[in-house]
Amino acid sequence: QDSLSFCSSRDYSAPVSFVSAGLRKAAAEELSDEDSDDDEKPVKQEEIPKEFVPKKLKTGGNFKPSQKGFVGGSKSFVDFGSWERHTKGIGQKLLQKMGYVPGRGLGKNAQGIINPIEAKQRKGKGAVGAYGSERTTQSLQDFPVVDSEEETEEEFQKELSQWRKDPNGGKKKPKYSYKTVEELKAKGRISKQLAAPQKELSQVKVIDMTGREQKVYYSYSQISHKHNIPDDSPQQPLGKDSKPQGFALPELEHNLQLLIDITEQEIIQSDRQLQYERDMVVNLSHEIQKMAEVLSHEEKAISNLSKVLDMVEECERRMQPGCENPLTLDECAKIFETLQDKYYEEYRMSDRVDLAVAIVYPLMKEYFKNWDPLKDCTYGTEIIAKWKSLLENDQLLSHSGQDLSTDAFHRLMWEIWMPYVRNIVARWQPRNCGSMVDFLDSWVNVVPVWILDNILDQLIFPKLQKEVESWNPLTDTVPIHSWIHPWLPLMQARLEPLYSPIRNKLANALQKWHPSDSSAKLILQPWKDVFTPGSWEAFMVKNIVPKLGMCLNELIINPHQQHMDAFYWVIDWEGMISVSSLVGLLEKHFFPKWLQVLCSWLSNSPNYEEITKWYLGWKSMFSDQVLAHPSIKDKFNEALDIMNRAVSSSVGGYMQPGARENIAYLTHTERRKDFQYEAMQERREAENMAQRGIGAAAGSVPMNFKDLIQTKAEEHNIVFMPVIGKRHEGKQLYTFGRIVIYIDRGVVFVQGEKTWVPTSLQSLIDMAK
């Protein structure tokens, strides 16, 4: 019985322990094996008597007698892992190797639990948590988290009560909400204002027949609040146990609710109206300030306009005939300056054209009444320049007549100043150009551009053209350039139509001219820089070069008695005709005769000293520019070769002592001079290119003839570029300045009137300039 009583009082909530194989059950437990339900229940250590404590058994393995433990009880850390006595103990060894210390928890900071998890027995058979918290003392120590059991219990009871019936009969008491006026105002401000259609809908009469009784609403919004009225739900029939309601007046409640809603809407509308009135007050105050500013500005403008009107009336009064203090042009200019400085806005807004016509034009006519532009060309320039700054518009004006009606100064110059100029130009003689040129030069910065163009194109140019047509270079003693060239700074390209008839008249005059007459050079020299390079070169080739060639043909070369007049007549034109034309003349008409005379002289036992002097004398007659030409160099080198052959081939005959050495020395000296001159020219070109900022290209050699032309064009600031899509006989066309050229086998061809003419690079540069 004792053993049975012991088994019946066993504590099943004690933690479960594993018992090693060497420990057997107690005698009392063996008797209770018949009860299958109690075999797996642990026994509470405190309730086990001492006589039922199992005896210790010695077994093999790693078990030590000093270790003490209880079956089914809480074991100390000493018995932790004691079952490893039956194994090799690899688990304990691995834990110790990784730093585990017996008696402490696992983890880096030994934060793990030390004792095994305990179990807790529930009171009944309910679910987990049905009887409150199931945490043990050990869990509270290891995980000190406090559970709010009271809150959990309250929530549980609250949820549970939702499934229960209300002991008070199931009918809730109505809840009333109270709003203050400020809350209603805030609600009205937050909600958007009703639009016009919504306001109309809010005043519609609505009849509700969905309930037991017919109800009338005065807006759709009231329908949404009908369920909020207390006791508005259908009444339940009275049962036996139910009590009748003591106070049930739905009509009164509805009327009260309706009055409340109307009052709320009136409060909200009144608040909105008040806010609108306040905003209107602010807007009106700002509008008052703006209107005050506009009023002050208008008052200021009125006072300024009244002052301007007084000044204008004063001017009109002083302009009346018989006035004691008549108005002058200078005083009128000062009045206009005052208007422009002090009353600038009113002056710019006013119609200055009408004001100037009424006041300034009569004074201007009186001022220029006795004016002669050719005698006093600067008269009135200062006062007109002052009026230009006062009356001229700021924007640029075109030549249209509309500008005359909008710009007072242009109208003033056209109607008052221009008639005097027309009268004086009509009486002016073109050959007396100095006074007219001085007059226009002094007025060029004052007169409007379109008026000056009108004077030059319509008045001056026809007079010059008529005078050129009547000019005869054979009879007129006054050269034409003396009365044409002074107009170049003013007219420039306008004079180009006059150049063609001038060239024709000069060409006709040169038909019977001889190079011995130097007057032709004096007449033609001023026109060299006026005509274009191409037209000048063509004129020289047609009218001067043939005459010079005839003159060289008439030249007789006689070493013993030489007449140099004809040669001087030709050389004197060196600066007028191009170097290439002069070299062509010498090659054709001079050097063949000169070399022939040299050969004949050398064949008659000459005096080589005289030949040397004769050679050097003729060479000194040419300029360095002519001598630098390759053709002239070749001719003089040919003469040296002839002299060297003559000295070396006279074998057996009489030879002047030292002649061979003198000729060799002469040849060496002349060749060295040529080399030095070429080196000096190259050095000058390199210095010029370095000064132009292309020093890198100074030492470079052009790859082909086109690159050479490109380099020369850059040196002389001439545009050299291909013409897109244009070819001649398969060759690309280029523009060199204003000239069209093409390149073929290192030769430049220039487009002439009918054919393409080959020309030298220097001539091309001269024509382009």
Side-chain angles (χ1 to χ4, degrees):
Q1 291 178 354
D2 294 336
S3 61
L4 292 174
S5 62
F6 167 73
C7 293
S8 62
S9 63
R10 183 181 297 178
D11 187 4
Y12 294 96
S13 63
V16 179
S17 299
F18 293 96
V19 184
S20 61
L23 186 64
R24 66 179 182 179
K25 295 181 180 180
E29 291 181 357
E30 293 177 354
L31 295 175
S32 63
D33 286 342
E34 296 176 359
D35 191 358
S36 59
D37 295 336
D38 297 339
D39 290 344
E40 298 178 357
K41 303 293 181 179
V43 183
K44 208 169 184 180
Q45 184 178 356
E46 291 80 0
E47 298 177 358
I48 300 174
K50 292 181 180 181
E51 61 271 11
F52 293 101
V53 175
K55 298 181 180 180
K56 302 178 186 134
L57 300 176
K58 293 183 180 181
T59 60
N62 295 330
F63 179 77
K64 297 180 180 180
S66 59
Q67 294 179 350
K68 296 180 179 180
F70 299 92
V71 177
S74 201
K75 303 176 92 174
S76 64
F77 66 89
V78 179
D79 293 334
F80 177 74
S82 57
W83 52 273
E84 281 193 333
R85 66 172 60 93
H86 307 290
T87 64
K88 296 181 179 180
I90 187 63
Q92 187 75 12
K93 293 178 181 179
L94 288 174
L95 287 173
Q96 292 178 358
K97 187 176 181 181
M98 287 184 286
Y100 171 70
V101 179
R104 299 182 62 183
L106 296 177
K108 181 179 179 181
N109 299 319
Q111 67 272 20
I113 62 174
I114 300 174
N115 297 324
I117 299 174
E118 295 180 359
K120 185 176 181 180
Q121 186 177 6
R122 299 190 190 96
K123 299 177 181 179
K125 296 181 180 181
V128 177
Y131 306 102
S133 176
E134 296 184 1
R135 298 193 62 178
T136 60
T137 306
Q138 177 188 354
S139 65
L140 292 175
Q141 292 177 358
D142 293 337
F143 303 99
V145 178
V146 180
D147 291 337
S148 179
E149 297 182 357
E150 297 179 356
E151 295 179 0
T152 306
E153 186 68 21
E154 290 179 359
E155 293 179 359
F156 175 75
Q157 293 296 337
K158 183 177 179 181
E159 294 175 358
L160 190 61
S161 62
Q162 295 179 356
W163 297 93
R164 297 175 181 174
K165 294 183 179 180
D166 189 358
N168 298 327
K171 191 173 182 180
K172 298 181 180 178
K173 294 182 179 180
K175 294 183 179 180
Y176 298 95
S177 61
Y178 302 93
K179 295 181 181 179
T180 61
V181 177
E182 297 300 329
E183 291 177 353
L184 288 176
K185 290 181 180 180
K187 178 183 178 182
R189 295 190 189 99
I190 294 174
S191 62
K192 296 181 180 179
Q193 294 183 355
L194 295 175
Q198 294 177 341
K199 289 182 179 179
E200 294 177 359
L201 293 175
S202 64
Q203 300 174 0
V204 174
K205 183 177 180 181
V206 181
I207 300 174
D208 184 12
M209 302 182 67
T210 59
R212 291 182 303 167
E213 299 177 357
Q214 177 179 338
K215 296 181 180 180
V216 179
Y217 300 100
Y218 293 95
S219 65
Y220 286 111
S221 61
Q222 293 179 357
I223 299 177
S224 60
H225 300 295
K226 70 176 185 176
H227 297 292
N228 296 334
I229 301 174
D231 300 336
D232 195 32
S233 59
Q235 294 182 359
Q236 300 293 333
L238 297 176
K240 296 181 180 180
D241 297 335
S242 61
K243 297 180 181 180
Q245 294 182 354
F247 185 79
L249 295 175
E251 292 83 359
L252 180 60
E253 292 178 357
H254 168 69
N255 292 337
L256 289 176
Q257 184 64 37
L258 186 62
L259 290 175
I260 291 172
D261 293 340
I262 294 173
T263 306
E264 287 182 357
Q265 293 297 327
E266 289 179 354
I267 293 173
I268 292 174
Q269 292 296 332
S270 300
D271 180 66
R272 289 177 180 175
Q273 185 67 24
L274 178 61
Q275 186 64 34
Y276 171 77
E277 298 296 338
R278 289 175 180 173
D279 295 340
M280 183 62 68
V281 169
V282 174
N283 292 335
L284 291 176
S285 62
H286 289 299
E287 190 70 22
I288 289 173
Q289 293 179 359
K290 291 182 180 180
M291 295 305 296
E293 293 177 359
V294 172
L295 181 62
S296 62
H297 179 74
E298 295 294 336
E299 290 177 352
K300 183 179 179 180
I302 291 172
S303 66
N304 292 338
L305 288 174
S306 62
K307 294 178 182 178
V308 170
L309 183 61
D310 294 340
M311 295 176 69
V312 173
E313 291 177 352
E314 179 66 18
C315 292
E316 292 179 349
R317 186 187 63 80
R318 293 179 62 181
M319 288 182 63
Q320 298 297 329
C323 181
E324 298 179 356
N325 186 15
L327 185 65
T328 62
L329 194 61
D330 291 336
E331 293 177 352
C332 185
K334 292 180 180 179
I335 292 173
F336 271 75
E337 286 180 356
T338 304
L339 292 175
Q340 189 178 28
D341 294 339
K342 292 185 178 180
Y343 312 105
Y344 180 79
E345 294 182 1
E346 291 77 7
Y347 179 76
R348 289 296 176 186
M349 291 171 57
S350 63
D351 193 354
R352 287 173 287 172
V353 178
D354 297 339
L355 188 63
V357 169
I359 298 176
V360 182
Y361 284 18
L363 298 176
M364 193 69 70
K365 289 182 179 179
E366 184 68 22
Y367 185 79
F368 287 107
K369 182 172 62 175
N370 299 323
W371 175 48
D372 187 358
L374 298 181
K375 293 182 180 179
D376 190 3
C377 60
T378 60
Y379 178 79
T381 54
E382 295 181 359
I383 190 67
I384 293 297
K386 185 183 297 184
W387 281 108
K388 181 179 181 180
S389 62
L390 292 173
L391 298 178
E392 189 175 26
N393 282 339
D394 297 332
Q395 64 270 20
L396 297 177
L397 297 171
S398 62
H399 297 205
S400 62
Q402 184 181 2
D403 297 327
L404 292 177
S405 61
T406 57
D407 191 276
F409 177 72
H410 288 225
R411 184 175 176 182
L412 171 69
M413 295 299 295
W414 182 256
E415 296 181 359
I416 306 299
W417 183 82
M418 195 64 182
Y420 294 100
V421 178
R422 290 196 190 97
N423 293 333
I424 199 64
V425 172
R427 295 182 282 108
W428 165 69
Q429 294 297 325
R431 300 199 180 193
N432 186 16
C433 65
S435 58
M436 184 61 68
V437 171
D438 294 339
F439 162 68
L440 293 178
D441 280 338
S442 60
W443 284 86
V444 69
N445 295 324
V446 180
V447 179
V449 176
W450 66 274
I451 294 181
L452 181 62
D453 293 340
N454 182 270
I455 294 172
L456 296 177
D457 293 335
Q458 305 298 329
L459 301 178
I460 302 298
F461 182 77
K463 298 277 287 188
L464 293 177
Q465 189 176 21
K466 186 177 181 181
E467 190 67 23
V468 167
E469 291 175 355
S470 63
W471 170 67
N472 187 358
L474 297 177
T475 59
D476 288 345
T477 57
V478 180
I480 190 172
H481 66 268
S482 63
W483 49 274
I484 293 292
H485 288 185
W487 291 104
L488 287 173
L490 283 172
M491 303 187 71
Q492 295 178 356
R494 291 187 177 93
L495 295 176
E496 286 188 1
L498 301 178
Y499 297 156
S500 181
I502 290 174
R503 284 194 295 268
N504 294 333
K505 289 180 178 290
L506 290 175
N508 294 330
L510 290 172
Q511 288 181 358
K512 298 180 180 180
W513 169 78
H514 191 268
S516 60
D517 185 7
S518 61
S519 61
K521 182 182 178 182
L522 297 176
I523 294 175
L524 295 176
Q525 190 171 10
W527 292 97
K528 181 183 179 183
D529 296 331
V530 176
F531 295 157
T532 60
S535 60
W536 174 258
E537 182 67 18
F539 181 82
M540 289 287 106
V541 170
K542 182 178 180 181
N543 300 288
I544 302 298
V545 173
K547 302 285 186 180
L548 297 180
M550 293 173 59
C551 186
L552 282 178
N553 276 333
E554 297 173 358
L555 176 65
I556 299 173
I557 300 174
N558 186 2
H560 302 289
Q561 189 178 0
Q562 183 68 52
H563 295 283
M564 300 293 295
D565 293 339
F567 184 80
Y568 290 148
W569 295 340
V570 175
I571 293 299
D572 192 33
W573 286 86
E574 180 181 350
M576 299 291 290
I577 64 177
S578 63
V579 177
S580 59
S581 300
L582 182 58
V583 170
L585 287 174
L586 295 174
E587 285 183 333
K588 185 176 181 181
H589 302 288
F590 173 75
F591 278 106
K593 295 190 294 184
W594 185 74
L595 292 174
Q596 185 178 1
V597 170
L598 177 62
C599 291
S600 62
W601 191 3
L602 290 172
S603 62
N604 295 323
S605 299
N607 186 351
Y608 285 95
E609 292 183 1
E610 293 180 359
I611 291 177
T612 302
K613 292 179 181 180
W614 180 78
Y615 171 85
L616 294 176
W618 274 109
K619 192 172 183 179
S620 64
M621 300 299 294
F622 300 96
S623 64
D624 293 339
Q625 189 176 4
V626 176
L627 291 175
H629 198 276
S631 300
I632 304 299
K633 284 182 182 181
D634 294 340
K635 296 298 180 181
F636 280 106
N637 289 331
E638 185 178 352
L640 291 175
D641 294 337
I642 292 172
M643 287 187 285
N644 284 321
R645 287 197 300 269
V647 172
S648 60
S649 63
S650 58
V651 179
Y654 173 76
M655 176 60 66
Q656 181 181 353
R660 185 175 299 172
E661 289 78 7
N662 291 336
I663 296 300
Y665 176 74
L666 175 64
T667 303
H668 178 71
T669 304
E670 292 301 314
R671 299 282 170 81
R672 186 177 62 184
K673 286 181 180 179
D674 292 341
F675 291 146
Q676 290 177 353
Y677 182 79
E678 291 177 357
M680 183 176 64
Q681 288 295 108
E682 292 178 357
R683 186 165 59 253
R684 287 178 181 176
E685 291 181 0
E687 290 177 356
N688 293 334
M689 295 178 71
Q691 291 176 358
R692 290 177 182 271
I694 50 174
S700 62
V701 180
M703 297 298 295
N704 49 34
F705 192 65
K706 178 187 172 184
D707 295 339
L708 177 62
I709 296 175
Q710 180 70 31
T711 304
K712 293 295 182 182
E714 292 175 358
E715 290 179 6
H716 296 279
N717 293 326
I718 299 174
V719 178
F720 175 68
M721 60 183 296
V723 180
I724 300 176
K726 298 291 183 180
R727 292 181 176 273
H728 177 73
E729 296 180 356
K731 305 294 190 302
Q732 175 67 49
L733 297 182
Y734 300 88
T735 56
F736 192 86
R738 292 177 295 177
I739 305 171
V740 179
I741 66 171
Y742 76 92
I743 304 169
D744 186 14
R745 300 176 185 177
V747 180
V748 179
F749 290 83
V750 180
Q751 186 178 17
E753 295 180 357
K754 296 182 179 180
T755 60
W756 293 83
V757 181
T759 184
S760 64
L761 185 57
Q762 186 62 39
S763 300
L764 179 65
I765 294 172
D766 295 338
M767 285 188 287
K769 288 184 177 180

